Amino acid sequence: MDVKVYLSSLEDEIGEIVNISEWSLGVYHVDARKDGPFLREYFAVPDSSPIAARVRRYGERRDGLRLFDNADDSSGWQIVQYEIMKYNGAYGGKPVAEAVFRDVSLHAMELYPEYFGLFPVPFHTPHGYTLRHRTLSNGVYWLETSQYRELLAICFPIWNARLSAAALMGGERLEIDKVGEADVDATPYLFFSRELSCVPLYELLATHEEWRGTVIRPRALMNALWEYTPAYAMYLNGGMDPPLAIFSEVLRAEMGCAMPEPDGKHVAAMFPGEGTDFLLLE
Protein backbone atom coordinates (compact mmCIF):
# COMPACT_ATOMS: atom_id res chain seq x y z
CA MET A 1 0.00 0.00 0.00
CA ASP A 2 1.04 3.61 -0.53
CA VAL A 3 1.16 4.73 3.10
CA LYS A 4 1.29 8.44 2.32
CA VAL A 5 -1.76 8.24 0.07
CA TYR A 6 -3.66 6.24 2.67
CA LEU A 7 -2.77 8.67 5.47
CA SER A 8 -3.96 11.55 3.31
CA SER A 9 -7.36 9.86 3.15
CA LEU A 10 -7.66 10.28 6.92
CA GLU A 11 -7.68 14.08 6.85
CA ASP A 12 -11.37 14.31 7.71
CA GLU A 13 -10.58 12.48 10.93
CA ILE A 14 -7.14 13.69 12.04
CA GLY A 15 -7.05 17.02 10.22
CA GLU A 16 -5.01 18.55 7.44
CA ILE A 17 -1.75 16.63 7.04
CA VAL A 18 1.11 19.11 7.09
CA ASN A 19 4.02 16.68 6.86
CA ILE A 20 4.72 12.96 6.56
CA SER A 21 8.26 11.73 7.08
CA GLU A 22 9.77 8.25 7.35
CA TRP A 23 11.58 8.06 10.69
CA SER A 24 12.65 4.47 10.30
CA LEU A 25 12.25 1.71 7.76
CA GLY A 26 8.51 1.53 7.27
CA VAL A 27 7.58 3.80 10.19
CA TYR A 28 6.11 7.22 9.50
CA HIS A 29 5.77 10.36 11.58
CA VAL A 30 2.75 12.50 10.76
CA ASP A 31 2.05 16.15 11.58
CA ALA A 32 -1.61 17.13 11.26
CA ARG A 33 -3.58 20.27 12.07
CA LYS A 34 -7.23 20.24 13.10
CA ASP A 35 -9.39 22.77 14.93
CA GLY A 36 -6.62 25.22 15.77
CA PRO A 37 -3.11 26.35 14.97
CA PHE A 38 -1.29 23.58 16.82
CA LEU A 39 0.03 20.46 15.16
CA ARG A 40 -0.91 17.00 16.37
CA GLU A 41 1.60 14.20 15.94
CA TYR A 42 1.05 10.56 15.02
CA PHE A 43 3.09 7.48 14.29
CA ALA A 44 1.92 5.20 11.48
CA VAL A 45 3.29 1.66 11.47
CA PRO A 46 2.36 -0.42 8.38
CA ASP A 47 2.03 -4.18 8.76
CA SER A 48 5.11 -4.51 6.55
CA SER A 49 7.33 -2.59 8.97
CA PRO A 50 10.11 -4.52 10.76
CA ILE A 51 8.72 -3.36 14.11
CA ALA A 52 5.05 -4.10 13.32
CA ALA A 53 4.99 -7.37 15.27
CA ARG A 54 6.36 -5.66 18.38
CA VAL A 55 3.67 -2.97 18.52
CA ARG A 56 0.65 -4.91 17.27
CA ARG A 57 -1.01 -4.87 20.70
CA TYR A 58 -1.07 -1.07 20.73
CA GLY A 59 -2.35 1.81 18.64
CA GLU A 60 -5.50 1.93 16.56
CA ARG A 61 -5.93 -0.75 13.94
CA ARG A 62 -6.49 0.52 10.39
CA ASP A 63 -6.38 -1.08 6.94
CA GLY A 64 -2.86 -2.39 6.73
CA LEU A 65 -1.36 -0.27 9.52
CA ARG A 66 -1.62 0.91 13.10
CA LEU A 67 -2.01 4.58 14.00
CA PHE A 68 -0.60 5.99 17.26
CA ASP A 69 -1.76 9.34 18.60
CA ASN A 70 1.20 11.03 20.31
CA ALA A 71 -1.16 13.18 22.39
CA ASP A 72 -2.64 10.06 23.98
CA ASP A 73 -0.26 8.33 26.40
CA SER A 74 -2.43 5.21 26.33
CA SER A 75 -1.93 4.76 22.59
CA GLY A 76 1.51 3.18 22.93
CA TRP A 77 3.37 5.81 20.91
CA GLN A 78 6.29 5.69 23.38
CA ILE A 79 6.78 2.02 22.47
CA VAL A 80 6.98 2.97 18.79
CA GLN A 81 9.52 5.67 19.64
CA TYR A 82 11.59 3.13 21.60
CA GLU A 83 11.46 0.56 18.78
CA ILE A 84 12.44 3.20 16.20
CA MET A 85 15.49 4.14 18.23
CA LYS A 86 16.43 0.52 18.77
CA TYR A 87 16.05 -0.41 15.09
CA ASN A 88 17.89 2.65 13.82
CA GLY A 89 20.73 2.04 16.26
CA ALA A 90 21.07 -1.64 15.44
CA TYR A 91 20.49 -1.61 11.69
CA GLY A 92 20.37 1.96 10.46
CA GLY A 93 23.75 3.21 11.60
CA LYS A 94 22.11 5.88 13.76
CA PRO A 95 23.00 4.95 17.35
CA VAL A 96 21.29 6.91 20.09
CA ALA A 97 23.12 8.06 23.19
CA GLU A 98 22.65 5.47 25.92
CA ALA A 99 21.34 8.07 28.37
CA VAL A 100 18.64 9.14 25.91
CA PHE A 101 17.72 5.55 25.09
CA ARG A 102 17.45 4.75 28.80
CA ASP A 103 15.41 7.87 29.44
CA VAL A 104 12.79 6.88 26.87
CA SER A 105 12.36 3.39 28.33
CA LEU A 106 12.44 4.62 31.93
CA HIS A 107 9.60 7.08 31.37
CA ALA A 108 7.54 4.54 29.42
CA MET A 109 7.97 1.87 32.11
CA GLU A 110 5.25 3.34 34.31
CA LEU A 111 2.66 3.19 31.53
CA TYR A 112 3.68 -0.11 29.95
CA PRO A 113 5.16 -2.44 32.58
CA GLU A 114 4.03 -5.43 30.51
CA TYR A 115 6.41 -4.23 27.76
CA PHE A 116 9.33 -2.68 29.61
CA GLY A 117 9.05 -4.50 32.92
CA LEU A 118 8.52 -3.13 36.41
CA PHE A 119 10.63 -0.50 38.09
CA PRO A 120 13.17 -2.37 40.22
CA VAL A 121 12.71 -2.31 43.97
CA PRO A 122 15.62 -0.32 45.47
CA PHE A 123 18.05 -2.48 47.43
CA HIS A 124 20.04 0.37 49.00
CA THR A 125 18.28 3.10 51.01
CA PRO A 126 19.53 6.01 53.15
CA HIS A 127 18.70 3.83 56.16
CA GLY A 128 20.11 0.41 55.35
CA TYR A 129 19.31 -2.41 52.96
CA THR A 130 15.81 -3.31 51.90
CA LEU A 131 14.75 -6.49 53.65
CA ARG A 132 11.05 -6.54 52.77
CA HIS A 133 8.87 -4.55 50.42
CA ARG A 134 5.23 -4.05 49.50
CA THR A 135 4.21 -2.78 46.06
CA LEU A 136 1.74 0.09 46.25
CA SER A 137 2.00 0.54 42.47
CA ASN A 138 4.70 0.19 39.84
CA GLY A 139 7.58 2.38 41.06
CA VAL A 140 6.00 3.13 44.46
CA TYR A 141 7.16 0.77 47.19
CA TRP A 142 6.85 0.50 50.96
CA LEU A 143 10.12 -0.78 52.41
CA GLU A 144 11.37 -2.29 55.64
CA THR A 145 15.12 -1.87 56.07
CA SER A 146 18.02 -3.43 57.96
CA GLN A 147 18.06 -0.38 60.26
CA TYR A 148 14.52 -1.12 61.45
CA ARG A 149 13.03 1.70 59.40
CA GLU A 150 9.92 1.86 57.24
CA LEU A 151 10.26 4.02 54.14
CA LEU A 152 8.23 5.02 51.12
CA ALA A 153 10.32 4.78 47.91
CA ILE A 154 9.19 6.57 44.74
CA CYS A 155 10.93 6.18 41.39
CA PHE A 156 12.21 9.20 39.47
CA PRO A 157 9.69 9.30 36.58
CA ILE A 158 6.86 9.33 39.11
CA TRP A 159 8.14 11.85 41.64
CA ASN A 160 9.42 14.08 38.86
CA ALA A 161 6.03 14.23 37.15
CA ARG A 162 3.54 13.83 40.00
CA LEU A 163 4.87 15.45 43.14
CA SER A 164 4.93 19.12 44.04
CA ALA A 165 8.08 20.94 45.10
CA ALA A 166 6.70 21.00 48.64
CA ALA A 167 6.37 17.22 48.67
CA LEU A 168 9.85 16.69 47.25
CA MET A 169 11.39 18.62 50.13
CA GLY A 170 10.65 15.73 52.48
CA GLY A 171 12.47 13.13 50.38
CA GLU A 172 15.96 11.70 50.96
CA ARG A 173 18.48 10.49 48.40
CA LEU A 174 21.33 8.04 48.61
CA GLU A 175 24.64 9.71 49.42
CA ILE A 176 26.24 8.29 46.28
CA ASP A 177 23.55 9.96 44.16
CA LYS A 178 24.18 13.40 45.60
CA VAL A 179 27.49 13.61 43.73
CA GLY A 180 25.89 13.97 40.31
CA GLU A 181 23.37 16.75 40.76
CA ALA A 182 23.17 17.38 36.99
CA ASP A 183 22.27 13.77 36.20
CA VAL A 184 18.82 13.43 37.71
CA ASP A 185 18.33 10.02 36.14
CA ALA A 186 21.21 8.76 38.26
CA THR A 187 18.90 9.32 41.24
CA PRO A 188 15.93 7.08 40.47
CA TYR A 189 14.38 7.02 43.95
CA LEU A 190 13.36 9.41 46.66
CA PHE A 191 12.81 7.96 50.12
CA PHE A 192 10.34 9.28 52.69
CA SER A 193 10.03 8.42 56.36
CA ARG A 194 6.75 6.93 57.56
CA GLU A 195 5.65 10.28 58.97
CA LEU A 196 6.60 12.40 55.94
CA SER A 197 5.24 9.85 53.49
CA CYS A 198 1.76 11.23 54.15
CA VAL A 199 2.51 14.17 51.81
CA PRO A 200 3.51 12.27 48.64
CA LEU A 201 0.81 9.66 49.29
CA TYR A 202 -1.75 12.44 49.59
CA GLU A 203 -0.70 13.83 46.22
CA LEU A 204 -0.50 10.44 44.52
CA LEU A 205 -3.94 9.50 45.79
CA ALA A 206 -5.42 11.83 43.17
CA THR A 207 -4.23 9.48 40.41
CA HIS A 208 -4.52 6.19 42.33
CA GLU A 209 -8.18 5.84 43.16
CA GLU A 210 -7.65 2.12 43.75
CA TRP A 211 -5.66 2.92 46.90
CA ARG A 212 -8.61 4.37 48.77
CA GLY A 213 -9.77 1.83 51.34
CA THR A 214 -7.28 -0.81 50.15
CA VAL A 215 -3.88 0.81 50.70
CA ILE A 216 -4.75 4.09 52.41
CA ARG A 217 -7.28 5.19 55.01
CA PRO A 218 -8.05 8.72 53.70
CA ARG A 219 -9.39 10.11 56.97
CA ALA A 220 -6.30 8.98 58.89
CA LEU A 221 -4.14 10.36 56.08
CA MET A 222 -5.71 13.79 56.53
CA ASN A 223 -5.08 13.59 60.26
CA ALA A 224 -1.44 12.67 59.56
CA LEU A 225 -1.01 15.74 57.39
CA TRP A 226 -2.03 17.99 60.27
CA GLU A 227 -0.02 15.98 62.80
CA TYR A 228 3.28 15.68 60.93
CA THR A 229 3.25 18.42 58.27
CA PRO A 230 0.98 21.25 59.47
CA ALA A 231 2.72 23.83 57.29
CA TYR A 232 1.98 21.76 54.20
CA ALA A 233 -1.61 21.25 55.33
CA MET A 234 -2.13 24.97 55.75
CA TYR A 235 -0.51 25.54 52.37
CA LEU A 236 -3.03 23.20 50.79
CA ASN A 237 -5.92 24.80 52.56
CA GLY A 238 -4.93 28.11 51.04
CA GLY A 239 -6.27 26.77 47.77
CA MET A 240 -2.93 26.89 45.93
CA ASP A 241 -2.45 23.19 45.24
CA PRO A 242 -4.58 21.16 42.75
CA PRO A 243 -4.86 17.97 44.84
CA LEU A 244 -6.96 19.83 47.42
CA ALA A 245 -9.84 20.33 44.99
CA ILE A 246 -9.86 16.63 44.09
CA PHE A 247 -9.51 15.40 47.65
CA SER A 248 -12.04 17.81 49.11
CA GLU A 249 -14.68 16.57 46.70
CA VAL A 250 -13.97 13.03 47.87
CA LEU A 251 -14.39 14.15 51.47
CA ARG A 252 -17.67 15.90 50.75
CA ALA A 253 -19.21 13.18 48.61
CA GLU A 254 -17.94 10.00 50.20
CA MET A 255 -17.23 10.85 53.82
CA GLY A 256 -20.03 13.26 54.60
CA CYS A 257 -17.56 15.77 55.97
CA ALA A 258 -18.21 19.49 55.64
CA MET A 259 -15.09 21.06 54.17
CA PRO A 260 -14.51 24.80 54.60
CA GLU A 261 -13.85 26.73 51.42
CA PRO A 262 -10.09 27.36 51.10
CA ASP A 263 -9.26 30.81 52.38
CA GLY A 264 -5.83 30.35 53.96
CA LYS A 265 -7.22 30.75 57.49
CA HIS A 266 -8.94 27.49 58.42
CA VAL A 267 -7.54 23.99 58.37
CA ALA A 268 -9.19 21.32 56.23
CA ALA A 269 -11.13 18.50 57.79
CA MET A 270 -9.74 16.54 60.70
CA PHE A 271 -11.30 13.35 62.01
CA PRO A 272 -11.17 12.84 65.78
CA GLY A 273 -10.96 9.19 66.70
CA GLU A 274 -9.57 8.11 63.33
CA GLY A 275 -5.92 8.37 64.36
CA THR A 276 -2.96 8.84 62.03
CA ASP A 277 -2.31 5.22 61.02
CA PHE A 278 -3.15 5.74 57.35
CA LEU A 279 -1.59 2.62 55.80
CA LEU A 280 -3.61 -0.55 55.32
CA LEU A 281 -0.65 -2.88 55.03
CA GLU A 282 -0.22 -6.16 56.87
Side-chain angles (χ1 to χ4, degrees):
M1 67 181 298
D2 189 323
V3 175
K4 293 186 177 181
V5 172
Y6 178 76
L7 290 172
S8 297
S9 71
L10 301 178
E11 287 195 332
D12 287 343
E13 180 179 344
I14 67 176
E16 175 192 1
I17 293 180
V18 177
N19 183 60
I20 300 176
S21 56
E22 191 171 7
W23 277 24
S24 183
L25 182 61
V27 181
Y28 296 84
H29 179 265
V30 182
D31 290 315
R33 180 184 290 114
K34 184 178 183 180
D35 301 329
F38 301 106
L39 294 178
R40 192 153 182 167
E41 299 178 77
Y42 298 85
F43 282 126
V45 181
D47 292 344
S48 59
S49 167
I51 74 168
R54 296 182 177 274
V55 300
R56 63 172 176 260
R57 293 174 54 191
Y58 305 91
E60 185 178 347
R61 178 67 179 167
R62 298 303 182 102
D63 294 335
L65 61 76
R66 289 191 176 275
L67 193 65
F68 299 80
D69 184 349
N70 290 25
D72 179 5
D73 281 343
S74 67
S75 73
W77 69 266
Q78 298 95 328
I79 296 175
V80 177
Q81 181 185 35
Y82 170 83
E83 289 295 340
I84 288 174
M85 295 170 67
K86 185 171 70 172
Y87 183 87
N88 286 349
Y91 303 106
K94 300 177 181 178
V96 178
E98 290 185 11
V100 175
F101 201 36
R102 176 178 177 272
D103 186 65
V104 170
S105 63
L106 187 66
H107 283 78
M109 195 176 290
E110 180 185 5
L111 294 171
Y112 310 104
E114 76 285 353
Y115 197 90
F116 293 96
L118 298 173
F119 290 115
V121 178
F123 180 61
H124 297 280
T125 83
H127 302 281
Y129 299 107
T130 296
L131 300 181
R132 184 170 180 254
H133 78 275
R134 294 289 301 275
T135 301
L136 277 61
S137 66
N138 184 21
V140 182
Y141 303 110
W142 192 261
L143 312 178
E144 295 179 14
T145 79
S146 58
Q147 294 182 11
Y148 313 102
R149 295 289 297 273
E150 291 184 87
L151 302 173
L152 176 70
I154 304 177
C155 195
F156 166 73
I158 298 174
W159 63 252
N160 185 55
R162 307 284 178 83
L163 298 186
S164 69
L168 296 179
M169 291 177 62
E172 294 182 84
R173 297 163 57 178
L174 291 172
E175 288 296 327
I176 192 172
D177 292 332
K178 296 178 183 178
V179 176
E181 290 292 337
D183 186 5
V184 179
D185 278 348
T187 313
Y189 279 93
L190 278 181
F191 301 88
F192 298 83
S193 68
R194 185 180 183 92
E195 292 78 15
L196 295 183
S197 70
C198 62
V199 176
L201 288 175
Y202 171 86
E203 296 189 359
L204 291 175
L205 187 62
T207 53
H208 289 77
E209 291 292 321
E210 71 279 6
W211 286 356
R212 186 175 296 110
T214 58
V215 173
I216 292 174
R217 297 172 59 236
R219 294 190 179 195
L221 181 64
M222 290 293 289
N223 286 345
L225 288 175
W226 303 124
E227 176 72 20
Y228 303 123
T229 59
Y232 175 82
M234 288 299 294
Y235 166 74
L236 285 183
N237 203 52
M240 295 181 289
D241 202 81
L244 177 61
I246 299 171
F247 201 80
S248 64
E249 288 303 316
V250 171
L251 288 169
R252 289 192 183 100
E254 297 184 17
M255 298 180 179
C257 176
M259 286 279 290
E261 290 299 321
D263 62 1
K265 298 179 181 178
H266 301 288
V267 298
M270 288 183 281
F271 299 91
E274 295 287 344
T276 59
D277 188 7
F278 52 84
L279 283 172
L280 291 168
L281 298 178
E282 297 179 357

